[in-house]
Amino acid sequence: MPDPSGARDAGGPLLDAPAREWDTPMYRQAVAQLDTAARAMDLDENLWDRLRSPQRAHVVSFPFRRDDYETVETLVGYRVQHLLTMGPTKGGIRYAADVDLGDVTALSMFMSWKCSIMNLPFGGAKGGVRVDPTALSKGELQRITRRYTSEIIEVIGPDRDIPAPDLGTDEQVMAWIMDTYSQQKGFTVPGVVTGKPVELGGSAGRREATGRGVIACSLEASRHLGLALEGARFVVQGYGEVGSTAARIARSLGARVVAVSDAKGGVLDPGGLDLAKVDAWVREHRFLEGMPGVDHLSNAELLELPCEVLVPAAVQNQITEANAGRIACRLLVEGANGPTSVAADAVLAERGIFVVPDVLANAGGVTVSYFEWVQGLQHFFWSEEDVNNRLISLMQRAFQDVLGVARARGVSLRSAALIRGIDRIKEAKRRRGIFP
Ligand code: NAD
């Protein structure tokens, strides 16, 4: 079938010329994944082309006063809504020094597929502010959050677009967003964000949901591969909300967590790390560097450690053509969004490494965000046990669903996940038709 750009059939550039505003390497990676799935499912070329562009992309800039009062910087923020067909849009807000429109657009596309794979009534969105959160005081973080919220206030809302935490943001940031939105609307609107503190209408189990989903997928995949998780070596890149939860649950299932890392580097104990000690160190010192009684290594070295399960749970573009040949795990479960490049995917497949893709593996977060939204709308809150049980059963169902597509079509789990997600969107778009 001809493709929308004409260029892809010739193996040429992935995108139409002239380049679009959001054309960056990460956006190209998202499009390349879409293209692979679209070819495999023989997707209608009009829809294929439509799904490559976000429906709405908002870029804002605003002044930010530093604690010294004299310094005022201009910051740039984004909120991108990829797909409005399925209901309100949903996706995290990221604070990072390298955030740009292309990254946020790519991440909003991943969110569309993720929500659809999990059968949630949302389209994908993503937001971000280009700032290094580790260099901010709590007061600075709060001022940025409140001003950014004011700048995007007209495009978010409980029926419109519902942010959640992502890299560099947490439940406190969500509480400030909710408060700012509520102050400006004149009444309390808890449903404008998910991932809130429980005291403000957050869901039990939300903080751990993504890590718990990562482990639910690891269990399903290891069963499929005939690999025992008990005693298996786990390596986790990124000891944040997702990575630390995944490590703790893996440990509770009898796995050996041999190495974990953060932005500055990692720690290793071949006999298995004492995670209580790691947590205590991080609580006091913020980063793992300097921790006694363990070996230290770089993030690049950590990714190449021999292990049964590798969980990248930090940032995008970590496993590339440059290191894919040296990745030494049996199972790669993507906690982070976009950690593996398209070229690396091919190398890993050739080497028999089983990859559970981000859109499936880290969908636990948005799933419990959905539970939080539903609980908030009904003013009826579930127990943590209920939340966890429902999460695990949805993750298991989605994994088996995607595995079934992979087997039936003879494609990778990543392509199968995208095919599953796009297929539902395709039907919804067909039924709604085109306006006008
Ligand atoms: P977080 O900010 O809580 O933790 C991120 C961790 O990664 C920290 O330990 C940080 O030091 C480390 N890190 C940052 N830059 C790094 C680098 N260049 N190399 C190595 N480590 C680095 O973030 P999080 O919420 O745990 O999110 C982690 C990843 O999971 C992101 O890719 C995010 O998009 C994805 N994700 C998160 C959720 C969620 O619910 N929090 C849901 C889906 C996907």
Side-chain angles (χ1 to χ4, degrees):
M1 161 185 155
D3 68 56
S5 70
R8 280 166 299 181
D9 282 345
L14 291 167
L15 302 171
D16 309 313
R20 292 173 176 160
E21 290 76 0
W22 42 80
D23 182 6
T24 62
M26 191 169 174
Y27 172 68
R28 283 177 175 243
Q29 178 178 324
V31 170
Q33 290 178 0
L34 165 63
D35 287 353
T36 305
R39 270 188 215 102
M41 68 192 288
D42 207 11
L43 184 66
D44 172 81
E45 62 189 72
N46 297 318
L47 178 58
W48 181 354
D49 196 40
R50 182 72 196 95
L51 292 176
R52 298 160 117 221
S53 298
Q55 193 160 341
R56 295 177 182 163
H58 308 272
V59 182
V60 299
S61 70
F62 54 89
F64 153 57
R65 193 184 286 285
R66 286 275 178 186
D67 284 343
D68 68 10
Y69 201 78
E70 297 305 320
T71 315
V72 177
E73 293 169 27
T74 299
L75 296 185
V76 180
Y78 309 94
R79 186 71 189 170
V80 174
Q81 298 161 345
H82 174 247
L83 176 78
L84 278 74
T85 309
M86 315 300 286
T89 48
K90 185 100 196 66
I93 289 177
R94 169 174 294 203
Y95 290 172
D98 58 356
V99 164
D100 59 34
L101 182 60
D103 285 12
V104 176
T105 302
L107 291 162
S108 74
M109 290 170 74
F110 295 152
M111 284 306 297
S112 290
W113 318 145
K114 211 179 288 187
C115 292
S116 185
I117 291 162
M118 297 307 295
N119 217 351
L120 310 180
F122 302 125
K126 204 79 179 187
V129 177
R130 194 186 303 158
V131 68
D132 175 5
T134 63
L136 299 172
S137 70
K138 200 163 180 186
E140 290 175 331
L141 190 63
Q142 179 169 175
R143 288 199 293 283
I144 288 175
T145 300
R146 289 188 182 279
R147 181 61 190 251
Y148 167 66
T149 305
S150 299
E151 294 295 335
I152 61 166
I153 202 149
E154 293 308 331
V155 302
I156 59 172
D159 300 318
R160 200 170 269 201
D161 180 12
I162 307 140
D166 191 68
L167 208 66
T169 59
D170 58 11
E171 57 182 36
Q172 178 58 70
V173 171
M174 295 307 115
W176 290 328
I177 294 177
M178 179 272 213
D179 184 67
T180 306
Y181 187 89
S182 300
Q183 295 291 347
Q184 298 203 14
K185 295 290 167 187
F187 55 98
T188 297
V189 190
V192 65
V193 286
T194 58
K196 297 180 288 292
V198 172
E199 303 76 31
L200 296 179
S203 176
R206 171 61 185 89
R207 196 181 311 148
E208 300 82 17
T210 308
R212 192 174 297 282
V214 165
I215 297 303
C217 283
S218 306
L219 271 168
E220 292 300 301
S222 56
R223 259 182 225 130
H224 168 66
L225 297 173
L227 182 80
L229 273 202
E230 175 124 24
R233 292 164 299 173
F234 261 71
V235 169
V236 179
Q237 185 196 33
Y239 199 66
E241 191 164 296
V242 178
S244 66
T245 305
R248 187 170 44 75
I249 300 176
R251 177 74 202 89
S252 74
L253 295 174
R256 205 156 27 113
V257 180
V258 292
V260 300
S261 70
D262 60 32
K264 295 193 176 184
V267 292
L268 164 73
D269 183 343
L273 290 162
D274 181 337
L275 295 179
K277 282 192 182 150
V278 175
D279 289 339
W281 179 267
V282 171
R283 253 194 315 275
E284 193 174 340
H285 303 273
R286 193 163 182 178
F287 291 101
L288 296 159
E289 67 180 355
M291 186 179 164
V294 289
D295 294 327
H296 288 261
L297 74 176
S298 68
N299 268 294
E301 289 165 338
L302 173 130
L303 291 173
E304 296 175 16
L305 286 173
C307 60
E308 279 69 47
V309 185
L310 174 62
V311 179
V315 288
Q316 64 274 13
N317 208 27
Q318 295 299 295
I319 299 160
T320 65
E321 221 171 350
N323 62 359
R326 296 190 300 275
I327 300 294
C329 62
R330 177 75 187 89
L331 176 59
L332 176 70
V333 188
E334 295 183 335
N337 283 309
T340 310
S341 75
V342 173
D345 246 347
V347 177
L348 296 176
E350 223 168 75
R351 298 185 52 228
I353 294 175
F354 192 80
V355 179
V356 185
D358 46 10
V359 286
L360 176 61
N362 69 32
V366 70
T367 302
V368 175
S369 274
Y370 165 63
F371 295 165
E372 181 176 330
W373 184 71
V374 168
Q375 292 171 79
L377 290 176
Q378 298 184 343
H379 306 284
F380 176 66
F381 290 88
W382 312 345
S383 70
E384 184 164 357
E385 195 186 350
D386 274 350
V387 170
N388 292 345
N389 288 342
R390 286 181 205 232
L391 168 65
I392 288 168
S393 93
L394 286 191
M395 294 299 303
Q396 287 171 336
R397 196 177 72 190
F399 185 94
Q400 292 305 332
D401 205 15
V402 168
L403 185 63
V405 174
R407 280 177 163 153
R409 291 183 178 260
V411 296
S412 70
L413 218 57
R414 189 182 315 277
S415 288
L418 261 61
I419 288 171
R420 195 72 197 84
I422 292 167
D423 205 45
R424 203 172 139 245
I425 293 168
K426 182 180 89 180
E427 278 314 297
K429 280 201 170 287
R430 190 177 66 79
R431 292 279 182 176
R432 282 189 64 158
I434 294 175
F435 174 83

